Each structure stands twice: as C-alpha cells, then as structure tokens.
Amino acid sequence: MTHSIDALWVTTSPFLKRFDQPLLQRLCKQSAIAQWQYQQSEDEPCSLSIAVDLLHEYLQGFDHPLHLVGHGTGGLVSLLYARQCPDNVRSLTLLSVGAWASLDWMAHYYFHLQFVPSRRHQVLTQLVPDFFGEQNPTVTCYLARLLAQDLAVSPSPHSLFQRCNLSPTGVPVPLLVCGGESDPVVDSQALQEWQPWLKASDRIWQCPEGYHFFHCFHPQRVAEQMLDFWQIQSITASNSIDLHSCSI
C-alpha cells in the first residue's frame, strides 16, 4: 500500500455510505483518506467479529498505522479493532458512537417497533426526523427506504428479539468522539459517559443542531474538528520521536 494514505473511513452500509460523502470530500482536500466497506448478504448471520477480522486483513497491507474513522456501526467495528490491534491505529474518530458503543440507530428502531408490530415502514418514516431532521414527504419516504435496505444487510447485533450491550471501556489509542446535539440515539449523556475512559489526548465534541447523521449536514464543522485532532496527533508523535532520538 502507498505511504500517502493517512486515514481510513470504515463503513458497514452500502446504502447509508452516501451520507459520508460530504465529509469525505472535505477531508480529502487536506488529507489522504481511503474507504473500506464491509458488506454481508441477507443470508449471512450478523457478525461483527468477521468484519473486524477482514479489516485487520486489509490493514496488514500498510506498513504504518492509520487514523480510523467510522459512523455508527462502522465506528463500532473501528473501535473493536482499535482495542484488539492498537499498534495499527494512529488514532480513532467515532461519529455517533456512545460509551455503550453497540447502541446504534437500529437499537433505536427496534425499541420503537415493539410498540407498532409489523409496521416497519411506518416506524422508519416516523424516525426519519430523529436521524436527519425534518424533511419533506418525498425525501422522508426516500430516507425510510434506505433505512429499510440497511436493516437487511447491516452487521448490527440488534434485532426485535434482543438488543445487545457492549460495556463501556477505554481504548489505548488517541480518541475523538463526535456527536450531534439533537441526536436522540446517541445523545449528550451517551457521549459524556465516555468521560471516565478518556485519556489526556482524547476529546469529545458535539455538533450544534446535529442529528444522528450530523456529519452529512455539517461536514465543514466536523472536518475542522477531525483535521485539528489529527494534526495534534502528528505533532505529538513527531515530538515523541525527537525525544526518543535525544535519549539514545
């Protein structure tokens, strides 16, 4: 793999990855970022461990650690990988991932579905404002269809019969956690629950007026936070190398 790649965007959804593009376009102007996607078929069992193993296989092609970035379940996969293989991760940026990291939009959906059984489209339509803010009827219908398609292929561990929990704990690499102030899935409390696990290098940032997919609607703000965080990590790493050289 080329040395020019600095960061890797991890996604688990072929249907929702379009909402990553506005932010990726801004990041690409300042940093070399690649995209990695895990996609399972409708007949495969949901398995985060398979996604983590495949991500590890991909990262073996690089001879240097990368900044990992992921939104929602993509962020969860990135987090699990960073805990298992921290030497391959320069930093970790999580978008809409709380301290209880398995809590995603699907857990939110299944919670509501139990009160309106067998009415998937109705529930998804009602939840669109929670995820994207208020939209006109045409856009709302389109977004509900995308969410329904994502339900069929996502490795999210949740279902109507069970919602899984992943207990909070830290991560050994520099961590940036970003969320939307108006996100009912990963709300302010869910983000602040990261506090006991933060290191001196870590930070939490909330996007004003942002919903669950805040990075799509406020890409410039998010990009500024991420690029600043990455720059600080580069400076810190450079200083560490200089100090190590002086001590030899």
Side-chain angles (χ1 to χ4, degrees), residues 140-216:
T140 295
C141 186
Y142 166 74
L143 293 173
R145 287 199 304 270
L146 287 181
L147 294 173
Q149 290 173 309
D150 190 49
L151 279 170
V153 298
S154 173
S156 172
H158 306 290
S159 71
L160 182 60
F161 303 103
Q162 67 173 9
R163 286 182 289 280
C164 301
N165 288 321
L166 181 64
S167 298
T169 186
V171 61
V173 301
L175 173 66
L176 170 63
V177 180
C178 301
E181 285 189 350
S182 301
D183 181 6
V185 180
V186 182
D187 58 17
S188 297
Q189 180 179 341
L191 292 179
Q192 291 307 314
E193 287 174 347
W194 277 109
Q195 286 290 351
W197 311 102
L198 297 185
K199 306 178 294 300
S201 61
D202 301 342
R203 68 170 74 164
I204 297 174
W205 177 77
Q206 279 191 285
C207 181
E209 301 178 0
Y211 293 87
H212 190 63
F213 291 88
F214 67 96
H215 62 300
C216 177

